[in-house]
Amino acid sequence: MDFVAGAIGGVCGVAVGYPLDTVKVKIQTEPKYRGIWHCVWDTYRRERVWGFYRGLSLPVCTVSLVSSVSFGTYRHCLAHICRFRYGGTDIKPAKTDITLSGFASGLVRVFLTSPTEVAKVRLQTQTQQRRPSATPPACPAPSASSGPGPKYRGPLHCLATVAREEGLRGLYKGSSALLFRDGHSFATYFLSYAILCEQLTPTGRSQPDVLGVLVAGGCAGVLAWAVATPMDVIKSRLQADGQGQRRYRGLLHCVVSSVREEGPRVLFKGLTLNCCRAFPVNMVVFVTYEAVLGLTRGLST
């Protein structure tokens, strides 16, 4: 049931956080934006509300699987570690056990999320990368369209185009940064959630109430994204870098080039937005996850 509860929680989370995720990706990949509100206004002015939901269909279809694998892997790893170290799963796990299980959960999800992340980033950024020249032609042809159409017509077309033009490696572009991002961030995610739940559990009870779960889930998401943001910036740049002109030769080159051109602060682009998005999203994820688990426990007794 951990897999099922994780799937439902993940879908609810992506529905809440996707518009802010679009803004985050644009800020990280486009130096022209001066801040969050500039990006929001520019996106709305040129693309209206639809601009914030570009590439949403693929994450909605896949997030249930990815979230299911994340929560299920974490619980199963934790159970195996407890059986190995203590001889049973009824023993309270140590913080090291939780950290290792969370780290394993982050590593496993990379193999599922990398292609969808590539498609999502390309769709979210293609309006900037394929905009027409700032200098209009003197005598436009009467029958010509106002500008080139988007390169990618949707998530599946994007995946097919990337695979055809860049091969299988193109679908896993930026996966090295994803490994660094998700391994450490999910270790932080589950560890901080467990610690906060323990602190917020009333005396005489085994788990916190709904308010405690909301606070613990939201704070865990914020802490995880605080750890993940530097590699998230590099991941977004590597994945967006594949449409005509390639700027980066790999992970290290992207880090060095980005810091040299824009300073160390570039590694924290989108941090405020990530944290603002992470709190409500992970409140919803964890409260849904715990509610589904509680419901199934009640039905099985």
Side-chain angles (χ1 to χ4, degrees), residues 130-133 144-150:
R130 293 186 60 82
R131 63 184 182 272
S133 172
S145 61
S146 59

Side-chain angles (χ1 to χ4, degrees), residues 214-238:
L214 288 170
V215 172
C219 292
V222 170
L223 291 171
W225 273 107
V227 171
T229 294
M231 278 297 111
D232 187 57
V233 173
I234 302 305
K235 184 271 304 179
S236 294
R237 293 190 169 205
L238 287 171

Side-chain angles (χ1 to χ4, degrees), residues 86-129:
Y86 314 118
T89 58
D90 296 332
I91 307 298
K92 181 183 176 182
K95 293 179 175 60
T96 307
D97 306 330
I98 296 171
T99 303
L100 288 174
S101 300
F103 189 82
S105 170
L107 295 184
V108 168
R109 64 179 273 126
V110 169
F111 299 100
L112 296 173
T113 58
S114 187
T116 60
E117 286 280 328
V118 169
K120 177 176 72 71
V121 168
R122 297 282 178 94
L123 287 165
Q124 287 173 328
T125 60
Q126 73 172 343
T127 52
Q128 281 75 34
Q129 293 171 333

Side-chain angles (χ1 to χ4, degrees), residues 2-3 8 15 21 33 35 39 41 47-48 130 144-145 155 180 189 200 227 282 298:
D2 287 290
F3 286 96
I8 297 172
D21 183 71
Y33 291 119
C39 181
W41 169 246
E47 304 175 66
R48 299 304 177 189
R130 293 186 60 82
S145 61
F180 283 107
Y189 186 55
L200 294 171
V227 171
N282 290 284

Side-chain angles (χ1 to χ4, degrees), residues 7 18 22 31 76 87 106 136 139 171 195 200 248 296:
Y18 197 83
T22 297
H76 279 264
C139 300
L171 296 176
I195 292 173
L200 294 171
Y248 308 117
T296 56

